[in-house]
Amino acid sequence: MDGIDTAVAIAAGTMRAGTPLVLAALGELITEKSGVLNLGIEGMMLVGAVSGFIVTVLTGSVYLGVCAAIIAGMLMSLIFGVLTLSMMTNQVASGLALTIFGVGLSAFMGINYVGTPIAGLKPIAIPVLSDVPVIGPVLFNQDLLVYASYLLFFAIAWFLYRTRWGLILRAVGETHDAAHAIGHPVILIRYLAVMFGGAMAGLSGAYLSLVYTPQWAENMSAGRGWIALALVVFATWRPGRVLLGAYLFGGITILSLHVQALGYNVSSHLIATLPYLATIVVLVIISRDITKIKLNAPASLGRPFHPTL
Amino acid sequence: MADRQTPQLELSGITKAYPGTLANDNVDLTVLPGEIHALLGENGAGKSTLVKIIYGVVKADAGEMRWLGDRVTVNNPSEARALGIGMVFQHFNLFETLTVAENISLGLDEPHDIKTLSGEIITISERYGLPLNPARHVHALSVAERQRVEIIRCLVQNPKLLIMDEPTSVLTPQEVDSLFGTLRQLSKEGCSILYISHKLDEIQSLCDAATVLRMGKVTARCTPARETPRSLAEMMIGSALPTCKRASRAGKSETVFSLNGLSMVSSDPHGTDLKDITLELGRGEIVAIAGVTGNGQKEFLCALNGEQATADARMIEMLGEPIGKLGPKDRRMRGMAFVPEERLGRGAVPEMSLAMNALLTGYLRNLVRRGFTRTGHIRSFARDIREAFKVKAPDIDVEAKSLSGGNLQKFIIGREIMLDPKVLVLGFPTWGVDVGAAAAIHQAIIDLAARGTAILIVSEDLDELFEICDRIAVIAEGRLSPSKSTRTTNIEEVGMWMSGAFETGGHAHAS
């Protein structure tokens, strides 16, 4: 029975390790589907993480902290939106700048909070469902943000492929000139998509600093923002594959921790690279159908939109 | 329609300036209910700007618009649609990865569900003879089917005015007839149509009235049926239609270039594969490849210029030598020259000066020595092109993109002709080029052939091809029809071929 318990523990850990990626990557998915490439996820996550942490320490409420993280992520993305959508700056350069800015700003904001202890979000077992063997403890004995990530996944998939606004969003991302000529507000839709991406990155940051490891450490996202970005591309802009990639990353992260605990004589730095490498390799292999890529990739991605007036 | 009705649409004093040009200068236009009204003019005369103003995509600087006598302002396409204005754009506003029904849904303002909409699409498509399956993805549709999507997108909203911007430039002659049938039916039902074109015969057969634009100004109003093509052309370009002179060629000459069962899989998933194309070009011969865009022309041009190598080198032969595996530079060194379909981006680098653009392919003409460019030679080469082909440009240091389409095309074709090629391949040489420049380009092509160059022209403009080519073949879904002398075939037969109705093989070398 010991083996099953270990497996359940690993699976439950996988869900938690994958959740920040699910959140950030789904946000970026919406942003990119509208045709905007925001490379600033890492920066938005860090600012979200530190803002959520500070507000939690000051108010004593984790929930207020989560709200603060969402708002902080959104504000960061708004800076990016104003630069790229209103001032037509280059999206790649602006996104990189946003990340650099976010790394510095979060370190500055959190300087007095490094090592401050807080009580993070505790798991809430869902009655009945959590009693199901294996699946119960893995899926339904988690904290609120993990549950939120389930709901957000279904909501986003439904929004993109089942609603009129989802259709308009995809259309804007594919051919913005045509969308404009038909009369859809391209810039407005892109602002909303960018801000949703920012909010999700902020939430993802909050998960790191308030739930996953309830503390603030400089640069604590450790490249997860970049992995989220890669997930979206290698998952060929499909929500289901984003989810798969995120949990794959989470699973290998947890597994490599167990491998280290078993005391194999492999450099821990090398093992730490494994989740990044494996996730990308797997997604590249399952998503190499060029036709499918062309059908799902937003064709206007990264291209600035200049309406003719 | 002679009695005085309240006009469906009345524009007065519409003016719109862009930096450097006055696109519309005090334009007045009146369209009566149920009237098919032609807006006639050359490329760049301001037709597209005017209809974009009507549809609310572009804002006018001055002027007013009346709809059934009431003054209205249209700030965006949704307001135009609410009035009852529908528009079919020249460059389709469709989304390739979405279905027909989704595309049509995107053009509607009121909420609806895709299932009921699909039903409506089928009803309308049957009523107006526009067969279309709402569940198909747009990338899998032919150009004519795409246009139907655009038209049905307008018709589901019961328009009172339908604007059609150059709708026939992408259709076969038979498809044009069927489109005209639909438009006449709509007009009988009381829908006004504003029909934009520069094709005179179409306007004469279809339209009740015409307004002619030249350089942004209204230069004439007329009833097309009472005019001649010549008088219409004079109103449109301000002078008589230029014609080309050519000596008639007789007999067969030695083959310099041949395609032997050329087959190629397209690198674009939405593209067309080439299937077993066989064709021979003789010395001094001009051969036309007609066909509706999207039937493999892009892939065909890529295969010819060497952007994509063929599976077997012998699929393309020049002077008996297999060249199918050679890249563009090696083919050029053997005496081939190319004028690609896209002027800006492939034919020329938009941000570079004319002189630097001359170097792009002129490097074969002694413009480079030991890896260094020879500025003096380059500049004099560029100047020679400008002189010889009457390119209207202030000097050779201006950016390529600052030239009008016609002038830049003259420069690009001139550059290739100056290389004195043995084989010249041209992709859509007069697309978007004004009538005067097109005539100059035609004459230059004819003169080059007279000096012995074998010339292959891929175009969709049948009038042009019949005017200057010796032989014509049609590309349809990646297959090539047999070729026939332009003197022994006619537009109807070629039109049939364009819809794919021909025997495969294409081995015939008609003499």
Side-chain angles (χ1 to χ4, degrees), chain B residues 65-96:
Chain B
M65 175 166 159
R66 285 174 184 276
W67 183 254
L68 288 171
D70 300 325
R71 204 178 157 172
V72 289
T73 48
V74 178
N75 295 309
N76 57 48
S78 234
E79 290 181 22
R81 287 193 292 261
L83 283 177
I85 302 175
M87 174 152 172
V88 175
F89 292 86
Q90 180 180 13
H91 303 288
F92 300 150
N93 285 307
L94 297 176
F95 305 93
E96 302 238 321

Side-chain angles (χ1 to χ4, degrees), chain B residues 44-112:
Chain B
K47 297 168 297 183
S48 288
T49 304
L50 187 64
V51 292
K52 280 184 182 158
I53 289 170
I54 298 172
Y55 196 56
V57 182
V58 171
K59 254 196 186 65
D61 299 335
E64 68 167 37
M65 175 166 159
R66 285 174 184 276
W67 183 254
L68 288 171
D70 300 325
R71 204 178 157 172
V72 289
T73 48
V74 178
N75 295 309
N76 57 48
S78 234
E79 290 181 22
R81 287 193 292 261
L83 283 177
I85 302 175
M87 174 152 172
V88 175
F89 292 86
Q90 180 180 13
H91 303 288
F92 300 150
N93 285 307
L94 297 176
F95 305 93
E96 302 238 321
T97 64
L98 306 181
T99 65
V100 168
E102 286 175 330
N103 266 283
I104 289 173
S105 152
L106 279 166
L108 301 179
D109 296 304
E110 64 285 357
H112 52 272

Side-chain angles (χ1 to χ4, degrees), chain B residues 265 274 347 377 457:
Chain B
V265 176
L274 301 180
H377 285 65
I457 304 178

Side-chain angles (χ1 to χ4, degrees), chain B residues 23-42:
Chain B
N24 286 156
D25 185 0
N26 204 9
V27 172
D28 299 341
L29 174 74
T30 304
V31 182
L32 299 175
E35 179 184 59
I36 305 184
H37 191 105
L39 194 54
L40 185 62
E42 281 212 80

Side-chain angles (χ1 to χ4, degrees), chain A:
Chain A
M1 288 312 279
D2 202 33
I4 290 184
D5 285 347
T6 312
V8 166
I10 290 176
T14 296
M15 302 304 292
R16 283 191 288 275
T19 295
L21 291 177
V22 171
L23 295 171
L26 287 177
E28 179 70 7
L29 177 79
I30 292 290
T31 304
E32 291 193 12
K33 271 286 185 189
S34 81
V36 181
L37 180 66
N38 185 353
L39 297 183
I41 309 181
E42 184 86 359
M44 299 189 295
M45 275 172 78
L46 282 169
V47 171
V50 77
S51 308
F53 191 83
I54 293 172
V55 169
T56 304
V57 170
L58 294 181
T59 64
S61 161
V62 180
Y63 299 106
L64 283 178
V66 170
C67 294
I70 292 174
I71 292 167
M74 220 190 267
L75 288 176
M76 285 287 283
S77 67
L78 193 59
I79 299 176
F80 176 81
V82 170
L83 285 175
T84 58
L85 300 175
S86 298
M87 297 161 90
M88 311 273 171
T89 56
N90 180 292
Q91 292 179 9
V92 171
S94 305
L96 288 173
L98 190 69
T99 284
I100 296 167
F101 172 65
V103 170
L105 180 68
S106 61
F108 173 74
M109 287 167 73
I111 202 148
N112 295 322
Y113 293 89
V114 176
T116 308
I118 55 162
L121 272 186
K122 291 282 167 280
I124 302 168
I126 297 183
V128 187
L129 285 175
S130 62
D131 297 332
V132 180
V134 187
I135 297 176
V138 173
L139 296 181
F140 301 111
N141 189 16
Q142 300 281 14
D143 56 83
L144 265 181
L145 291 192
V146 173
Y147 298 140
S149 74
Y150 301 162
L151 292 180
L152 280 164
F153 167 74
F154 288 110
I156 284 168
W158 175 79
F159 167 80
L160 267 182
Y161 297 104
R162 287 282 176 276
T163 68
R164 174 166 172 75
W165 281 101
L167 179 64
I168 294 173
L169 180 89
R170 286 185 287 144
V172 165
E174 190 190 318
T175 319
H176 48 216
D177 292 320
H180 173 69
I182 296 174
H184 295 298
V186 174
I187 297 289
L188 175 69
I189 288 165
R190 288 192 169 166
Y191 259 110
L192 294 174
V194 164
M195 286 171 67
F196 181 77
M200 292 288 277
L203 184 61
S204 166
Y207 190 84
L208 291 175
S209 66
L210 302 179
V211 184
Y212 194 59
T213 49
Q215 56 173 322
W216 166 249
E218 205 177 296
N219 218 352
M220 71 182 301
S221 54
R224 283 185 183 83
W226 296 109
I227 274 290
L229 197 68
L231 277 179
V232 176
V233 176
F234 292 121
T236 57
W237 296 271
R238 279 180 280 184
R241 294 195 173 191
V242 167
L243 201 67
L244 180 79
Y247 290 135
L248 189 70
F249 181 90
I252 297 173
T253 309
I254 298 295
L255 266 180
S256 51
L257 289 178
H258 280 261
V259 168
Q260 275 174 301
L262 290 175
Y264 285 106
N265 189 18
V266 184
S267 161
S268 62
H269 295 295
L270 205 58
I271 290 178
T273 64
L274 208 60
Y276 298 88
L277 190 67
T279 307
I280 289 177
V281 168
V282 169
L283 284 173
V284 166
I285 291 172
I286 61 171
S287 310
R288 62 186 192 285
D289 182 341
I290 187 87
T291 314
K292 286 260 168 62
I293 293 175
K294 287 225 178 181
L295 286 181
N296 286 288
S300 292
L301 186 62
R303 284 172 44 212
F305 172 67
H306 308 268
T308 46
L309 290 171

Side-chain angles (χ1 to χ4, degrees), chain B residues 176-188:
Chain B
V176 170
D177 286 343
S178 106
L179 172 68
F180 283 6
T182 305
L183 295 183
R184 289 196 184 100
Q185 186 184 346
L186 278 167
S187 145
K188 273 202 204 87

